Amino acid sequence: MERKILWIAVIVALAGFLFGFDTVVISGADKKLQELWNSSDTFHGIVVMGMALWGTVIGALFGAIPTNKLGRKKTLVWIGVLYSVSALGSALTHDPISFAVFRFIGGLGVGASTIAAPAYISEIAPAKNRGKLVGMYQFNIVFGILIAYLSNYLLSGISDQDWRFMIGAEAIPAILYTTLVFYVPKSPRWLVVKERYDEAESVITSLKLDFSLKDLKDDVKSTLTTGTQETIFMKKYRFPLILAFLIAFFNQWSGINAFLYYAPRIFELAGLGESTALLSSIGIGVTNLVFTLIGIYLIDRLGRKQLMYFGSIGYIVSLSLVSAAFFLNWTGMAVPIFLFVFIASHAIGQGAVIWVFISEIFPNHLRGSGQAFGCSTHWVLAALIPSFVPFLFGKIGPGIVFGFFAFMMILQLLWVFFMMPETKGISLEELGKKLIRKES
């Protein structure tokens, strides 16, 4: 694999670092902001904590428009701008509504990045290394999560408004990323769809890619239906559409985002002090990072489906134990240990697979729209579930909530066994044709 391709993938995958940092940095400010603004559980969950996720939903719903029209590269630049504005604005605000607005802006960047970044990397990656390279986006997500937890721990208590430093720290990597992404080339597959053949040929030659301009032209001709404006909702694309929906659906019904947002609160409910809860959150970040690296190492060796089996079984065992711990009042480190197993299961399974899988299963000319559909499903649920966690914990208790998540992971295991195809080592063009034929 060309070193140049690797470095480009690393730069683009930094969008994932900002995604991870932005998603969980709020966890360190969670209880402080609720006390500062004297918010009810519902207002705090939906507006203060949840508004970034609603921004993510909008970013995912409409992110295909700039990704397809402006191109992957320009969209990635604008994503960096959104992250930068959000970090600075959220840190300097003085009321919950303004705070929510700036968090919403950052959410737009997160949602759009889940479309543009994996799509871009998958379109320049050699088939044999595609899982590993697109997986770097997920690695950067969990690295961002770890750094956010560590940053929150180190900044906690430095002043009576330490939350401002926690939130504002994101501006540093956001500005760096925005600068670096200016130097990556445009996606050759996007250039061919836009009939900008000379530019595409230049990128293919410069990066020494494992496909030719003729290959890309032939694919566009073979997948387009003559005389029609194609969409992902056409009957022949129903199977990849269902696959994108279900992998995103099950990803969030594991409870992963609910847990990442409220890790310190969950640990305190389990009987740990505030300082120990924050420190345990760093342990979650380290576990996530280590097992994501293992998942990325294995994804092109064992395949996507095998990792989903590992993850599903780990989810079922760990979530059942967490639920039992709350019902049986187990104290001390029982809940953190079970949740470390949960995070490891997520990292090696859904975490390593989801963005790779969604970026592979749609044909070139519909990849942006397909990514948008899968990502929108993911983020609608990622907004809804964490928004109601404080309310559900208070009304029915964490034991029932985690028990339900375990049940949903049994359904995921059945989906993987009966329906999920293996995509390892197959070119994007061949995959598109293979999955279309399933519906013919």
Side-chain angles (χ1 to χ4, degrees):
M1 179 173 56
E2 282 291 312
R3 186 174 295 180
K4 194 170 182 180
I5 295 174
L6 177 62
W7 277 112
I8 290 169
V10 168
I11 290 169
V12 172
L14 287 174
F17 177 89
L18 294 166
F19 164 175
F21 196 102
D22 190 86
T23 299
V24 304
V25 71
I26 190 72
S27 68
D30 169 22
K31 297 186 76 174
K32 294 179 176 71
L33 292 177
Q34 188 168 12
E35 291 167 6
L36 175 66
W37 290 321
N38 195 27
S39 307
S40 67
D41 281 349
T42 303
F43 180 87
H44 180 67
I46 295 175
V47 179
V48 177
M49 295 292 286
M51 194 54 67
L53 283 169
W54 289 112
T56 303
V57 170
I58 302 301
L61 279 170
F62 297 102
I65 297 173
T67 301
N68 288 333
K69 292 193 179 297
L70 298 178
R72 284 57 162 146
K73 176 181 174 175
K74 285 185 180 177
T75 304
L76 289 167
V77 171
W78 278 107
I79 285 166
V81 172
L82 292 173
Y83 279 130
S84 303
V85 170
S86 172
L88 293 171
S90 301
L92 297 173
T93 193
H94 292 279
D95 65 274
I97 300 300
S98 298
F99 180 85
V101 169
F102 281 111
R103 289 286 295 161
F104 179 87
I105 291 170
L108 293 174
V110 172
S113 82
T114 58
I115 298 168
Y120 180 94
I121 298 171
S122 72
E123 290 177 350
I124 65 163
K128 65 179 181 178
N129 299 120
R130 190 174 58 241
K132 189 185 303 178
L133 289 177
V134 180
M136 285 199 303
Y137 179 73
Q138 176 65 20
F139 168 78
N140 273 278
I141 292 172
V142 300
F143 186 49
I145 288 170
L146 172 60
I147 296 302
Y149 280 141
L150 181 61
S151 173
N152 284 350
Y153 179 74
L154 294 175
L155 294 172
S156 178
I158 66 168
S159 79
D160 58 354
Q161 296 196 41
D162 53 2
W163 65 269
R164 295 188 186 276
F165 295 95
M166 294 178 182
I167 302 292
E170 185 183 351
I172 298 169
I175 293 168
L176 175 63
Y177 161 78
T178 308
T179 304
L180 289 174
V181 83
F182 269 107
Y183 295 97
V184 305
K186 294 184 172 80
S187 161
R189 285 179 162 101
W190 177 79
L191 289 169
V192 168
V193 170
K194 295 300 179 182
E195 300 182 353
R196 293 161 63 174
Y197 301 128
D198 290 343
E199 291 177 71
E201 182 72 72
S202 176
V203 175
I204 291 168
T205 303
S206 170
L207 299 183
K208 299 179 183 177
L209 298 176
D210 63 347
F211 51 82
S212 68
L213 180 62
K214 183 179 182 299
D215 293 336
L216 298 188
K217 285 182 176 179
D218 290 345
D219 174 67
V220 171
K221 287 178 184 175
S222 67
T223 53
L224 282 171
T225 302
T226 305
T228 64
Q229 183 66 40
E230 294 218 317
T231 73
I232 55 171
F233 299 105
M234 294 174 69
K235 185 177 180 181
K236 66 178 181 173
Y237 299 122
R238 187 178 301 165
F239 186 63
L241 197 71
I242 291 170
L243 292 175
F245 173 82
L246 288 176
I247 195 167
F249 176 85
F250 286 123
N251 182 283
Q252 283 306 300
W253 279 114
S254 69
I256 183 63
N257 267 45
F259 172 62
L260 291 176
Y261 258 56
Y262 295 103
R265 182 182 292 231
I266 292 168
F267 289 143
E268 286 188 52
L269 283 170
L272 303 183
E274 181 180 356
S275 176
T276 310
L278 278 172
L279 197 56
S280 295
S281 298
I282 296 173
I284 290 294
V286 172
T287 304
N288 204 354
L289 185 70
V290 169
F291 281 88
T292 295
L293 283 170
I294 295 171
I296 291 170
Y297 175 78
L298 294 175
I299 194 167
D300 286 320
R301 289 171 169 80
L302 300 182
R304 290 60 161 149
K305 191 163 183 170
Q306 193 68 44
L307 294 190
M308 288 293 287
Y309 279 130
F310 293 157
S312 298
I313 293 168
Y315 274 144
I316 293 164
V317 171
S318 59
L319 287 167
S320 298
L321 287 171
V322 171
S323 178
F326 279 108
F327 277 120
L328 301 174
N329 295 316
W330 296 341
T331 56
M333 291 301 293
V335 169
I337 289 170
F338 299 151
L339 285 170
F340 288 168
V341 177
F342 165 74
I343 285 292
S345 303
H346 173 79
I348 205 168
Q350 269 274 13
V353 172
I354 180 171
W355 307 117
V356 176
F357 189 73
I358 295 175
S359 74
E360 293 176 321
I361 57 178
F362 293 95
N364 289 324
H365 65 293
L366 294 175
R367 184 162 298 111
S369 301
Q371 290 261 140
F373 176 80
C375 295
S376 299
T377 303
H378 174 279
W379 288 116
V380 167
L381 292 171
L384 285 172
I385 296 169
S387 293
F388 289 99
V389 160
F391 172 78
L392 291 173
F393 279 0
K395 291 295 181 183
I396 64 175
I400 294 176
V401 173
F402 283 108
F404 180 75
F405 290 151
F407 168 72
M408 293 303 291
M409 292 303 92
I410 295 173
L411 299 184
Q412 174 178 273
L413 181 60
L414 294 174
W415 169 71
V416 173
F417 182 79
F418 287 108
M419 194 174 183
M420 182 182 178
E422 182 54 73
T423 59
K424 177 185 75 167
I426 306 173
S427 76
L428 294 178
E429 287 70 35
E430 187 181 341
L431 260 178
K433 294 168 188 173
K434 179 182 176 184
L435 296 179
I436 291 170
R437 284 203 299 272
K438 283 183 176 289
E439 193 53 44
S440 59

